[in-house]
Amino acid sequence: MGHGDGRGQITSATDADDTGTRILHVDMDAFYAAVEVLDDPSLRGLPLIIGAPDGRSVVSSASYEARRYGVHAAMPVAQALRLCPSARIVLPHFHRYQEVSRQVMAIFESFTPLVEPLSVDEAFLDVQGVRRLWGSPARIAGLIRERVLDEVGITCSVGVAATKHVAKMASTIAKPDGMLVVSAADTLDFLASRPVRAMWGVGPKAAEALEARGIRTIKDIRESSPEMLERAVGPALSGRLAQLARGEDPREVETERIEKSIGHEETFDQDILDRQFLRAELLRLGDRVAARLRRAEWEAATVSIKVRFDDFRTLNRSQTLSEPSAVGQRIGEAAQTLFEQIERRDPVRLLGVRAENLRPAGGGGLGLWDDDEDWRKVEGAVDEAVARFGTATISRARHIGRGDGRGAAQHPKAHGID
C-alpha cells in the first residue's frame, strides 16, 4: 500500500497520446480495505484501519478516508488511532484477499499472457503483442479498469508508459481509480519535476542522502555528476538512478515469478528481556519458515533476522549457510547465532526470521555426510503429521507452555511475510 491519500491526483483522458508505450502497471486501490467494503457495504465511506485491535499491532492497510489523516501501512495501530480517532479497525482476512487477487489476475491474463504479479494487488502487463486484438495500450488500460470494477466490484489505477519504472510512478499518481498515460516522447518531461522519493527503489535513507546534497527532483539527478551521486548513495544505486532519471529502464515483464524470500515475524504483547525465551522463539520461527520452504520445494542459502527493540530501533543481521537448507533446526540455529552477535540487551518488541537466496530443493545434491539427516527425517515426519492432523497439534516440546520471561503466558502476534 502506498502512503498517498489521493490528493494531488493526475489522470489522463481516454484518448490520451500513448505513442511508444507498451507497459501497464495496474494497482488496486487500498486493496485490503476495498475487499472489506466489498464484503460489508456498511463500511463504505468510513476511515478503516486493517489490523489487529490493539496498540502494539501495525496497520496492514487503510482506506483513503483514513489515509487523509496520515495513516499508512506499517504504522503502529496506536499511532494510527491518535491520528484518526474515529477510525474503524477491521481484522484482516488474508484468504479472502488471495481469492479476490486471483479474480483480478485472471482478468489481466485474459488480455495478455505477459503478466508479472508484484504482489496480491498489483502487476505489470506487456500489451505490445495484443494491440491488434484489443487496441492501443491506453484503450486496454481502460478496458481492464472497467472489467475489474464490473466483475470484481473494486477499483484500480493504471499507469501506461514505455518502461516499468515510469508506468509504476504513473499508476501511483493516478490513484485512486484513475489512469495516467505517459507517452515515450513525454517521459523526460514527466520525470523532471518528480521528487526523488517518488522513484521506485529509493528508500527514506537514500532520499535523505540525496536531499542533503540538494538533489531533490529527478531532474536534479539527471544534472548531477556521477561522482556526487556515488558519494550520496554508493556506486551501484547511483548508476541505477542515473539511468532511470534518463527514462532508461530495460527490464522486461517477467511472467515467471521467483520467490525471493520467505519469513515470519512476531510482535510481542509485552517487551521481552528474557534471552532464553527469545532464543526459543527464533527456533520456533525457524521451524515455521522451514515448513513453508519445504511446502514450496525451496532451500535457503541465507538466513536473516530482524530485531526491533522497545524504542523501535530495528537491527537486521544475515548469515550465509554452508549448504542451502530447508531444515528448521539449521535455520533456527543460524538465527540464534545471529541474535547472540547483537550486543544490545534491551527489551525486544519484535522478532523475525527470514530465508533468503532461495533455490529449488535438492539442486546441489548431498555430500558424503549429511549433518542434517536426522533432523530432516524428524521434520519430514512432522510435515506428514501436520498434513493429517493440522498445525495446532504439532509443536516442539520446548514451545509448549511458553512463558514470557515474567511467569505469564505469552501470546505473540505472528505475521507471515511474503
Side-chain angles (χ1 to χ4, degrees):
M1 153 184 144
H3 294 181
D5 59 11
R7 289 177 291 190
Q9 180 192 45
I10 302 174
T11 59
S12 298
T14 55
D15 59 350
D17 178 16
D18 60 3
T19 305
T21 66
R22 62 182 295 175
I23 305 296
L24 275 55
H25 180 258
V26 189
D27 198 355
M28 301 300 108
D29 299 318
F31 181 58
Y32 291 1
V35 174
E36 296 298 338
V37 171
L38 183 67
D39 293 344
D40 182 359
S42 70
L43 299 174
R44 188 175 305 279
L46 300 179
L48 303 179
I49 293 174
I50 310 303
D54 66 81
R56 294 186 64 83
S57 295
V58 296
V59 176
S60 294
S61 182
S63 67
Y64 280 92
E65 291 82 1
R67 295 186 193 194
R68 295 188 179 109
Y69 288 85
V71 177
H72 60 75
M75 172 182 287
V77 169
Q79 181 182 354
L81 289 174
R82 286 195 295 271
L83 293 171
C84 184
S86 62
R88 175 84 65 87
I89 299 178
V90 180
L91 288 172
H93 299 90
F94 294 108
H95 67 284
R96 178 64 174 142
Y97 307 149
Q98 292 285 352
E99 179 182 305
V100 176
S101 175
R102 286 191 289 271
Q103 291 179 264
V104 170
M105 296 298 168
I107 291 174
F108 298 166
E109 291 168 356
S110 72
F111 284 92
T112 173
L114 300 180
V115 176
E116 179 184 349
L118 296 181
S119 64
V120 294
D121 64 342
E122 61 176 320
F124 284 115
L125 286 68
D126 187 332
V127 298
Q128 180 67 21
V130 296
R131 297 184 61 160
R132 287 190 177 182
L133 181 61
W134 297 108
S136 71
R139 172 171 167 72
I140 295 172
L143 292 172
I144 287 174
R145 292 181 61 228
E146 290 176 6
R147 283 191 55 188
V148 170
L149 181 59
D150 292 344
E151 298 177 22
V152 183
I154 60 178
T155 64
C156 63
S157 298
V158 186
V160 182
T163 67
K164 282 177 148 183
H165 179 241
V166 177
K168 185 169 175 66
M169 288 183 64
S171 69
T172 300
I173 296 169
K175 283 181 165 293
D177 192 19
M179 175 183 72
L180 181 57
V181 180
V182 182
S183 69
D186 291 336
T187 295
L188 293 182
D189 288 340
F190 168 79
L191 291 172
S193 62
R194 303 295 161 198
V196 294
R197 292 176 181 267
M199 297 184 75
W200 187 20
V202 174
K205 289 185 178 180
E208 290 172 6
L210 291 167
E211 291 166 352
R213 291 166 173 80
I215 304 171
R216 301 184 179 280
T217 67
I218 297 178
K219 182 180 179 181
D220 292 336
I221 292 178
R222 208 152 60 216
E223 295 177 347
S224 298
S225 68
E227 293 76 18
M228 179 178 288
L229 288 177
E230 186 170 332
R231 284 195 298 271
V233 296
L237 183 55
S238 64
R240 181 67 179 148
L241 293 183
Q243 184 182 41
L244 294 176
R246 296 191 299 267
E248 300 169 5
D249 184 4
R251 291 173 297 180
E252 299 289 339
V253 170
E254 299 177 0
T255 56
E256 294 186 5
R257 182 175 181 270
I258 299 176
E259 190 103 43
K260 295 181 179 180
S261 66
I262 289 176
H264 278 283
E265 296 179 356
E266 288 181 357
T267 300
F268 300 109
D269 290 332
Q270 297 178 344
D271 299 328
I272 305 297
L273 191 58
D274 187 326
R275 305 285 292 185
Q276 183 177 354
F277 174 84
L278 293 169
R279 284 175 54 83
E281 286 301 292
L282 288 167
L283 193 58
R284 190 179 70 87
L285 289 169
D287 283 339
R288 295 187 65 187
V289 169
R292 288 182 61 191
L293 286 171
R294 293 192 295 271
R295 287 197 298 270
E297 299 184 348
W298 291 103
E299 292 176 335
T302 302
V303 173
S304 69
I305 66 169
K306 178 164 76 172
V307 183
R308 178 169 297 153
F309 295 97
D310 55 344
D311 61 358
F312 280 88
R313 185 186 176 193
T314 303
L315 298 180
N316 295 277
R317 297 290 185 269
S318 63
Q319 172 185 321
T320 299
L321 301 175
S322 58
E323 292 288 341
S325 179
V327 174
Q329 184 72 17
R330 176 69 61 202
I331 292 170
E333 288 177 352
Q336 290 175 333
T337 298
L338 290 168
F339 181 66
E340 291 305 320
Q341 294 171 359
I342 296 176
E343 295 181 358
R344 184 169 176 176
R345 294 295 188 266
D346 296 316
V348 172
R349 174 187 176 89
L350 176 147
L351 209 56
V353 175
R354 180 170 292 280
E356 301 173 339
N357 294 328
L358 307 188
R359 70 169 208 181
L366 296 175
L368 295 177
W369 293 275
D370 180 8
D371 293 336
D372 293 332
E373 180 179 4
D374 291 340
W375 279 110
R376 189 174 284 106
K377 290 178 180 177
V378 169
E379 293 181 11
V382 170
D383 290 343
E384 293 178 6
V386 167
R388 290 184 62 189
F389 304 113
T391 57
T393 61
I394 308 296
S395 177
R396 289 178 184 263
R398 75 182 69 184
H399 298 328
I400 298 175
R402 291 179 298 141
D404 67 353
R406 300 177 179 83
Q410 174 63 30
H411 301 287
K413 292 171 282 297
H415 311 283
I417 310 295
D418 290 321

